Amino acid sequence: MKLLRYGPAGSERPAILDGSGQMRDLSGVVADIDRTTLAPDMMAKLAALDVESLPKVDGTPRIGSAVARPGKFLCVGLNYADHARETGKEPPAEPVLFSKATTALCGPNDDVEIPRGSDRTDWEIELGIVIGSRAKYVSEDDALDYVAGYTLINDVSERRFQSERGGQWVKGKSHDTFGPVGPWMVSKDEIADVQNIDLWLDVDGERRQTGNTKTMIFGVAHLVHYISQFMTLEAGDIIATGTPPGVGLGMKPPTFLKEGQVVTLGASGLGEQRQLMVQA
């Protein structure tokens, strides 16, 4: 299943794609794509629907974040060895965890704001894990049982705020619009091998990132297991799993986003995003 949300910001409605890619309204079945909908019993109910009988969504409405109101928006840093090295760091011995404020969440094609005072706004394409069941102290062997599906994320970052303004990375990761998620959440049964997903990102049509999740240092199952040792994961939580090399910080010289530039990104099976950079 490909679940998504459409409509004006703050008033999105739930939807599902049918076999031809037509958007079908789910409002008569669920209230939203949120923690309740992502639980296993409801996901099973959705999987059993006659999707073709649901109302068509006409036109090309705005697409919102694939998941509504996640309790946690967690991120894994430096999870591709080449990316760690391009930022001047060694690959970590354990996953590096940080968070983005949930207010950073936005739609996959919404404008992205360059914060006031920013001169180092950067891009990061990432595979996102969407949790479907409460996970606490889960084993790596069982970890994928707690996953509802996967999505595409641009972990937009302000590098000076992140690394030079003191404290934790969260300051450089949490500006409004720094978390485009979607266009949809793909149920895990549709992804044959989550550790073999191609990723790409362009800036103004120039390829900047090309990667594959097979080169992650810590795979999806390990991340869910590992994080559950430190906090309880709940349905609807989102985990951004790290970015492959090619970020602006790693370019020579470092190159960052400017007002008016367009970032496009995509991943096999997870769709594509497009964002115009605007000044906050």
Side-chain angles (χ1 to χ4, degrees), residues 23-226:
M23 199 184 307
R24 301 277 182 162
D25 188 90
L26 273 177
S27 299
V29 183
V30 295
D32 209 339
I33 308 301
D34 56 15
R35 65 180 62 195
T36 301
T37 301
L38 295 168
D41 56 346
M42 186 56 71
M43 289 288 284
K45 180 179 178 180
L46 294 180
L49 286 174
D50 176 10
V51 175
E52 306 289 338
S53 69
L54 297 171
K56 289 183 178 180
V57 178
D58 295 325
T60 55
R62 170 189 174 271
I63 304 299
S65 165
V67 179
R69 299 174 297 280
K72 292 186 281 296
F73 194 169
L74 301 171
C75 303
V76 181
L78 309 175
N79 198 27
Y80 290 74
D82 289 348
H83 169 62
R85 294 192 181 99
E86 75 177 346
T87 64
K89 298 179 174 65
E90 287 300 311
E94 294 189 37
V96 175
L97 303 182
F98 61 94
S99 64
K100 293 175 86 80
T102 55
T103 48
L105 211 69
C106 69
N109 304 315
D110 289 348
D111 293 347
V112 166
E113 293 183 355
I114 297 176
R116 297 176 186 178
S118 166
D119 60 2
R120 295 190 180 183
T121 296
D122 205 347
W123 58 85
E124 292 190 21
I125 183 173
E126 309 203 3
L127 167 72
I129 305 167
V130 181
I131 299 297
S133 301
R134 185 178 186 271
K136 180 176 182 178
Y137 294 125
V138 302
S139 70
E140 186 165 344
D141 288 343
D142 295 336
L144 296 186
D145 293 342
Y146 296 84
V147 173
Y150 304 100
T151 191
L152 180 64
I153 296 172
N154 187 358
D155 175 21
V156 187
S157 309
E158 211 303 333
R159 302 301 189 186
R160 192 181 299 281
F161 296 178
Q162 176 183 351
S163 300
E164 299 180 20
R165 298 289 298 272
Q168 300 179 343
W169 288 4
V170 66
K171 288 192 294 190
K173 298 285 188 172
S174 293
H175 185 79
D176 292 353
T177 73
F178 269 26
V181 173
W184 47 69
M185 189 213 73
V186 181
S187 56
K188 63 184 176 183
D189 60 289
E190 288 201 10
I191 302 296
D193 183 359
V194 72
Q195 298 303 157
N196 188 20
I197 294 177
D198 291 322
L199 307 167
W200 60 268
L201 181 144
D202 294 348
V203 178
D204 288 342
E206 292 188 14
R207 185 59 43 92
R208 297 292 173 85
Q209 289 186 275
T210 303
N212 187 288
T213 56
K214 65 186 176 185
T215 64
M216 290 166 61
I217 298 171
F218 306 105
V220 168
H222 183 77
L223 292 175
V224 174
H225 151 72
Y226 181 87

